[in-house]
Structures are given as structure tokens and as C-alpha cells.
Amino acid sequence: MKDPWNPINEELREWAFDADTLWPTQDFDLSVAELYLSEIILELASDNKCPKQRFFLKCAYIIVGDAVRTDYHTESKEDVMSFLDSAEKTGNSYLLKFIEQSKDLIRNPSKFDYDQWCDGGLAYAQFKS
């Protein structure tokens, strides 16, 4: 990956499908959890054959959690709602659960928990048996 702090879709897709490749840099999830990458995040988070699907689901949670945590200073509420609308169109069960939890958080921002939203708790819990 040329610049892990400014990844492009093709690099992310290639990395996502290489099950053995580690994160290119510490806090890589923070570099990817950006709305300008929303299309590739949702594509890979909704792909049940993607070895790093959980990573991209975590990025989706970070986007919403951080927006709510900062009272929409990182991303506007309108952009977050548009992101959720796009996620819903995938029909993926993991993303549908994410949408449900996100809408609940948006209605009740006092429920924000950093470990759950920004450190992978909710995303990883969906993959536990």
C-alpha cells in the first residue's frame, strides 16, 4: 500500500482479500474510517466472503460513533444518515444490525461507549458464535 493514511479503493480491496496480510500501520482503522471511503467500506463490510469483513464493519461503527461522540463535528448528521441509507441498500445482515444500533445511538447519544463504537466491540460481537 503506497500510503496507508490515504488508501485508495483498489489498495483496500486487494488488502481486504489477502487473509494473511496484517494492518499496514497502527491505527489503520482510523485512516480508513472516513466517509469519502464509504462505498468501499460498505462493499467490503457486506461481502461475507471477504477475509477482513470485520475490519470494514468496525470502520462503519467508528464513523457513526465518532460523529455522535463529537456532536457531528467529524461528520454531519445528514452525511451519517446518508451513509446509513447506503448501508441499508446492501441488505447485509451485519450492516442491518449496525444500522439498527446506529439509529438507536443517534436517538440516544448518551448510550455512546468508546470501546463498543470506536474500538470494535459492537462490530466484533456480531461475529461471535
Side-chain angles (χ1 to χ4, degrees):
M1 194 168 295
K2 196 176 212 178
D3 179 1
W5 286 100
N6 293 295
I8 60 172
N9 289 359
E10 294 78 21
E11 292 172 326
L12 288 171
R13 194 174 291 110
E14 183 179 326
W15 176 79
F17 282 96
D18 185 344
D20 298 323
T21 304
L22 301 176
W23 289 21
T25 186
Q26 184 176 349
D27 296 329
F28 184 55
D29 53 343
L30 300 179
S31 75
V32 175
E34 298 285 346
L35 279 181
Y36 79 90
L37 293 169
S38 64
E39 187 176 309
I40 191 76
I41 290 169
L42 295 177
E43 173 190 321
L44 297 170
S46 66
D47 187 339
N48 294 335
K49 294 179 183 168
C50 177
K52 295 187 175 108
Q53 181 182 28
R54 285 185 288 189
F55 172 87
F56 290 95
L57 183 60
K58 177 185 179 186
C59 291
Y61 276 99
I62 291 170
I63 289 169
V64 174
D66 198 45
V68 172
R69 178 185 70 83
T70 63
D71 196 28
Y72 303 98
H73 286 107
T74 56
E75 303 292 350
S76 73
K77 188 172 186 177
E78 294 77 19
D79 287 346
V80 169
M81 296 308 290
S82 178
F83 178 58
L84 295 178
D85 288 343
S86 296
E88 189 168 22
K89 291 175 185 165
T90 70
N92 178 272
S93 61
Y94 296 123
L95 285 170
L96 294 175
K97 179 70 174 175
F98 155 73
I99 293 163
E100 176 187 320
Q101 292 169 321
S102 295
K103 288 182 177 180
D104 183 52
L105 180 66
I106 289 166
R107 285 188 301 272
N108 304 289
S110 64
K111 289 185 174 183
F112 175 80
D113 177 282
Y114 184 88
D115 291 338
Q116 294 300 309
W117 285 90
C118 297
D119 203 26
L122 291 171
Y124 297 149
Q126 290 201 48
F127 288 86
K128 293 182 180 173
S129 327

